[in-house]
Amino acid sequence: MITRKQVIPGDVITKGDLRYGSFIEKRDDQFIALRVGLAEISGEGVKLIPLSGPYIPHVEDQVVGKVIDMSGFGWEIDINSCFFGYLPASFVFGREFSPGTHDLSSRFKIGDLLLAKVEAFDRSRDPQMSVRGPGLGKIPKGEIIKISPTKVPRLIGRKGYMIQMLTGQTNTEMIVGQNGLIVVAGPPEGILKAAAAIKMIEEEAHVADLAKKVEEFLKEGAVSGS
Amino acid sequence: MEAKRKLIDDKGKRLDGRTWDQLRPVKIEVGVLKNADGSAFIEWGKNKIMAAVYGPKEVHPKHEVMPDRAVVRCRYHMAPFSVDERKNPAPSRREIEISKVIREALEPALVVEDYPRTAIEIFVEVLQSDGGSRVAGITAAALALADAGINMRDLVCGVSSGIVDGQVVLDLNDSEDKEGSGDMPVAIMPNLGLVTLLQIDGIYTPDHFKKAFELAIEGGKRIYEMQRQVLLQKYFGSSPAESTAEEQE
């Protein structure tokens, strides 16, 4: 059984000997919330789903970023975080990369939008990015929508249900970065509708039965045609 | 010098009609600024204070970077129109000091080790001032930090107590602050039971100190309840919106 609890920083979520996740601190036998959010207590342990906060990179995260600088050896990428991502040129050109023979701007220019993966990140250095993998690389077109990174899981939904419904109903394609940046491509009216739905998901992320509400919203929009 | 006026009347009422242990009306709002990562607005008596938090973000200048934790910066500033006589907008000695004590009052609550090589910036802007603006600023800034989603061990709430007409009272207003004989701002982390700010102005007997300190702690807990309601209301929209004490017409 899962018990849910609304918490603010400093609240005692529960007591005892349990496993616990991020945004929770253990003090003696008490579990203390470090963020505003929803705490879940189950047999598996204590979990906190925060409702606000910056994006902190994690290895294997897929993020949407913008190239903001280029040196002889790699690109600097703004990933909507307090840390800048670094994409080494050798990750793109392969091991035979040499700054003399390869031209970095032939691949990515400053201002380009990328879908990249966090390859490595620890507290001591900026996150290292990579574009090797299916779907990764330059994003050619689309509108950027920014939401709070903490609400991305809600947007994706259980097993991708929400995102599938969104793209299906609005006839758009979406690239969702874990860092809260979403690129929507498709017909203009579809983008507008998708943007409104995404805004709604962000604002009402804590509401139960959100998927149903979004579904109704999408259908309603089709009738009124606004 | 003109004769000192009485700040507490024979019935024990203060200038603004409060009893010795009553707070002024408090109204708090969270998330009022769109471009800040976290923000809060507090109206406490005649105080109107805006707090904003930016960060964690890159540290500039680079030599101030701390490799294992975040740098916390704080600016307390009074708007030129916040007082009766125009205040020079340049930071005064007093504002620099208050910036420092606010930073030191909030820092113990933040888990700065979670954000290495970054800076967290706190801005407290007094738009209209009354007594106790530093504690009101701390109360608002703590909410702005929670709104920004920075890991915090506890909220911080503050309230001042003091001595007026020889009597210990809670939450001094401007005239009590200026004409009274003692002022003691206190900030606490209520769940941890720790004091993060304690300043004293005036002469206290040990007895007065004890009483004033306990009163401030008790008042702080009342402020904490309001902070709590406001945060829950903002994020879950559930609890009753009324956070304020006695609102008079």
Side-chain angles (χ1 to χ4, degrees):
Chain A
M1 203 191 79
I2 300 175
T3 323
R4 285 199 175 81
K5 207 169 163 185
Q6 301 171 351
V7 291
I8 63 167
D11 279 2
V12 177
I13 302 170
T14 184
K15 287 179 184 179
D17 190 22
L18 291 156
R19 287 155 56 108
Y20 60 101
S22 322
F23 317 116
I24 296 171
E25 194 174 74
K26 196 171 180 199
R27 208 174 291 149
D28 302 323
D29 67 335
Q30 293 178 328
F31 296 98
I32 313 289
L34 298 178
R35 291 272 190 93
V36 182
L38 273 173
E40 286 185 357
I41 310 146
S42 67
E44 287 175 21
V46 198
K47 203 170 115 186
L48 180 68
I49 304 159
L51 289 179
S52 71
Y55 172 66
I56 303 292
H58 287 282
V59 175
E60 290 292 306
D61 274 3
Q62 275 195 8
V63 298
V64 173
K66 191 168 130 188
V67 180
I68 49 163
D69 201 7
M70 190 163 58
S71 69
F73 300 93
W75 296 268
E76 192 114 336
I77 303 170
D78 179 2
I79 53 168
N80 190 28
S81 170
C82 44
F83 307 104
F84 288 108
Y86 185 71
L87 174 62
S90 57
F91 279 19
V92 176
F93 293 102
R95 203 170 290 170
E96 61 275 10
F97 166 74
S98 92
T101 49
H102 291 96
D103 178 19
L104 267 74
S105 59
S106 68
R107 291 294 177 91
F108 306 125
K109 292 191 184 69
I110 290 174
D112 279 357
L113 213 55
L114 305 179
L115 179 65
K117 190 174 76 178
V118 180
E119 189 79 13
F121 176 62
D122 61 45
R123 292 160 47 87
S124 63
R125 247 178 293 172
D126 277 345
Q128 212 160 59
M129 313 301 293
S130 142
V131 285
R132 273 185 293 193
L136 302 185
K138 195 166 153 180
I139 300 170
K141 59 175 184 197
E143 289 287 321
I144 304 180
I145 298 166
K146 200 169 170 180
I147 64 167
S148 166
T150 52
K151 305 209 167 124
V152 169
R154 209 65 172 122
L155 173 67
I156 293 168
R158 196 163 290 155
K159 287 181 185 157
Y161 178 73
M162 189 84 88
I163 195 87
Q164 271 170 29
M165 185 174 72
L166 265 177
T167 50
Q169 297 264 349
T170 59
N171 199 16
T172 53
E173 278 176 44
M174 272 187 211
I175 298 168
V176 182
Q178 288 291 325
N179 56 345
L181 294 181
I182 301 145
V183 181
V184 189
E189 58 276 15
I191 294 177
L192 286 174
K193 210 155 112 187
I198 291 170
K199 265 266 101 55
M200 188 179 128
I201 294 170
E202 187 188 12
E203 271 160 24
E204 304 185 24
H206 59 280
V207 176
D209 234 8
L210 187 61
K212 213 169 158 189
K213 222 171 156 183
V214 173
E215 204 171 353
E216 271 164 26
F217 171 80
L218 289 171
K219 279 194 185 129
E220 199 179 292
V223 174
S224 63
S226 53
Chain B
M1 205 179 132
E2 56 186 294
K4 256 180 121 180
R5 63 173 167 163
K6 273 183 92 174
L7 296 167
I8 300 178
D9 71 11
D10 301 332
K11 288 180 193 147
K13 288 266 161 117
R14 295 202 249 162
L15 288 178
D16 48 11
R18 287 181 292 154
T19 56
W20 66 279
D21 62 346
Q22 258 181 327
L23 292 167
R24 286 168 289 174
V26 179
K27 202 175 131 207
I28 316 174
E29 255 179 274
V30 178
V32 287
L33 298 174
K34 190 169 167 279
N35 288 332
D37 294 304
S39 59
F41 178 66
I42 188 165
E43 286 182 32
W44 184 329
K46 285 178 187 143
N47 278 311
K48 287 185 173 45
I49 299 171
M50 187 83 86
V53 169
Y54 296 85
K57 56 188 210 175
E58 252 197 316
V59 187
H60 286 295
K62 279 271 192 244
H63 70 263
E64 284 180 9
V65 168
M66 290 208 246
D68 58 338
R69 50 162 290 179
V71 186
V72 181
R73 294 182 176 138
C74 180
R75 184 179 95 138
Y76 167 98
H77 182 247
M78 286 173 83
F81 49 81
S82 64
V83 270
D84 293 338
E85 190 101 9
R86 179 183 185 273
K87 189 206 147 285
N88 187 330
S92 62
R93 193 218 93 251
R94 176 178 170 274
E95 284 167 291
I96 295 168
E97 180 207 310
I98 294 178
S99 301
K100 175 184 178 286
V101 298
I102 291 182
R103 191 190 76 229
E104 288 174 355
L106 295 168
E107 223 171 336
L110 297 170
V111 190
V112 285
E113 304 80 33
D114 285 354
Y115 307 98
R117 294 173 292 121
T118 62
I120 296 165
E121 292 182 337
I122 304 161
F123 294 89
V124 176
E125 190 73 24
V126 181
L127 303 176
Q128 182 173 298
S129 86
D130 196 359
S133 69
R134 74 190 68 190
V135 285
I138 289 170
T139 304
L143 286 172
L145 283 163
D147 185 39
I150 292 163
N151 289 352
M152 291 172 89
R153 297 187 177 92
D154 200 352
L155 287 182
V156 185
C157 51
V159 71
S160 67
S161 62
I163 303 175
V164 170
D165 287 357
Q167 197 184 331
V168 172
V169 295
L170 182 67
D171 191 22
L172 278 67
N173 65 23
D174 196 40
S175 16
E176 289 170 334
D177 185 14
K178 287 186 177 125
E179 296 165 47
S181 50
D183 173 26
M184 179 164 90
V186 180
I188 55 167
M189 293 196 277
N191 292 302
L192 288 166
L194 296 173
V195 175
T196 63
L197 169 84
L198 178 60
Q199 294 184 301
I200 287 188
D201 175 20
I203 298 166
Y204 283 64
T205 62
D207 207 40
H208 270 149
F209 172 78
K210 196 162 178 277
K211 212 172 158 199
F213 183 68
E214 277 164 7
L215 186 62
I217 301 282
E218 191 267 321
K221 287 183 177 155
R222 267 149 57 190
I223 294 292
Y224 174 70
E225 269 320 304
M226 296 180 205
Q227 282 183 309
R228 193 187 167 76
Q229 294 305 322
V230 171
L231 259 191
L232 289 174
Q233 170 69 30
K234 161 88 204 293
Y235 280 96
F236 302 102
S238 52
S239 4
E242 261 51 70
S243 65
T244 71
E246 31 314 328
E247 205 125 9
Q248 295 139 340
E249 192 48 51

